[in-house]
């Protein structure tokens, strides 16, 4: 490859990075979203209160805003969902920063309902409980393993086309590993004189998962 083409690729790369940086900074708000795993496997945890999340919203302008928070989530098997009109509005003064620490996600008033989600792509196999991911979800609201992404937007009240700021956060859901029973051993036979106590032992390798 000649130096001429190398320079073209270099400047193109710099231009794309600059454009991406400008796009990230173009909103009136600077929104930061952080969360620590392991992340729950139960869908209800994300509807009620996104676990271990910290959110900060900084108004970069000299204007006071009244805004609402919207969100959408996507995941494996084309899982997707979008929030409805929020339960409340928010306000922020010029140059101010509002923080929503862990446990206060509900204060954002993001309005998720289970009916707003599409789970049609989750595999279903009633003949094999271990692989029947849809059955597990329908019964216990257990989400499939994989990478998910939640995006949050702040929209101006009275002008919802004006997205004041947005942020996206990717996270992985990992199911807990199953314990292995070591006592009694497999196919152990119990006679008709069972003792008052039956000792059961198992080993369990803890992985990066949360119930």
């Amino acid at each position: 490859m000649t130096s001429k083409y190398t320079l073209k690729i270099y400047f193109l790369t710099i231009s794309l990075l600059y454009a991406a940086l400008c796009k990230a900074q173009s909103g009136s708000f600077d929104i930061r979203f952080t969360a620590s795993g392991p992340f729950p496997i139960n869908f209800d945890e994300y509807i009620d209160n996104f676990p271990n999340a910290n959110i900060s919203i900084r108004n970069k302008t000299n204007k006071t805003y009244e805004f609402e928070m919207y969100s959408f989530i996507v995941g494996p098997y084309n899982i997707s969902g979008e929030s409805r009109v929020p339960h409340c509005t928010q306000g922020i003064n010029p140059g101010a920063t509002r923080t929503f620490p862990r446990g206060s996600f509900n204060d954002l008033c993001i309005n998720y309902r289970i009916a707003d989600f599409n789970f049609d792509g989750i595999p279903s196999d009633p003949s094999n409980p271990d692989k029947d991911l849809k059955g597990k979800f329908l019964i216990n609201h257990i989400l499939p393993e994989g990478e998910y992404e939640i995006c949050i937007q702040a929209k101006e009240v009275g002008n919802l086309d004006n997205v004041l700021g947005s942020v996206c956060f990717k996270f992985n859901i990992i199911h807990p590993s199953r314990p292995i029973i070591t006592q009694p051993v497999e196919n152990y036979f119990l006679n008709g004189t069972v003792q008052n106590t039956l000792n059961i032992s198992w080993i369990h390798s803890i992985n990066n998962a949360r119930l």
Side-chain angles (χ1 to χ4, degrees):
M1 181 180 291
T2 65
S3 59
K4 177 180 178 182
Y5 290 110
T6 301
L7 285 173
K8 284 185 177 180
I9 293 175
Y10 174 79
F11 285 117
L12 177 60
T13 302
I14 294 298
S15 299
L16 291 174
L17 289 173
Y18 179 77
L21 183 61
C22 290
K23 183 178 180 181
Q25 296 179 344
S26 61
S28 299
F29 291 177
D30 177 24
I31 303 178
R32 304 293 176 93
F33 184 110
T34 59
S36 59
F39 298 97
I41 64 175
N42 191 282
F43 172 77
D44 299 319
E45 291 277 353
Y46 301 94
I47 291 292
D48 299 331
N49 188 15
F50 195 98
N52 301 331
N54 295 275
I55 298 174
S56 67
I57 302 172
R58 181 173 66 89
N59 183 358
K60 300 186 295 181
T61 74
N62 59 0
K63 178 181 177 181
T64 298
Y65 280 103
E66 186 179 4
F67 62 95
E68 295 175 331
M69 302 299 293
Y70 291 82
S71 176
F72 64 87
I73 296 177
V74 294
Y77 306 111
N78 295 319
I79 293 174
S80 63
E82 188 171 353
S83 66
R84 301 188 182 192
V85 177
H87 299 301
C88 68
T89 61
Q90 311 284 344
I92 191 168
N93 293 323
T97 298
R98 292 195 57 187
T99 58
F100 299 84
R102 183 173 62 181
S104 63
F105 192 82
N106 279 344
D107 294 340
L108 293 170
C109 296
I110 294 176
N111 184 12
Y112 271 126
R113 298 182 185 178
I114 191 170
D116 300 326
F117 282 79
N118 179 12
F119 299 105
D120 293 341
I122 299 179
S124 177
D125 186 0
S127 64
N128 188 338
D130 289 335
K131 296 183 178 180
D132 188 17
L133 300 182
K134 180 166 287 187
K136 292 180 180 179
F137 174 77
L138 293 175
I139 296 174
N140 298 313
H141 288 185
I142 295 177
L143 290 167
E145 290 186 308
E147 184 180 77
Y148 292 76
E149 184 176 38
I150 180 172
C151 294
I152 295 176
Q153 294 181 327
K155 297 183 179 183
E156 185 178 10
V157 173
N159 182 17
L160 296 181
D161 291 333
N162 183 17
V163 178
L164 300 169
S166 63
V167 66
C168 292
F169 178 81
K170 291 184 178 180
F171 60 99
N172 286 287
I173 289 180
I174 304 173
H175 291 175
S177 58
R178 293 184 175 183
I180 300 174
I181 297 177
T182 57
Q183 181 184 346
V185 297
E186 186 176 2
N187 297 322
Y188 178 78
F189 179 76
L190 295 175
N191 57 30
T193 58
V194 180
Q195 299 178 354
N196 292 331
T197 59
L198 174 64
N199 294 323
I200 300 177
S201 303
W202 66 88
I203 56 176
H204 185 204
S205 300
I206 303 297
N207 60 8
N208 187 26
R210 174 177 166 183
L211 291 173

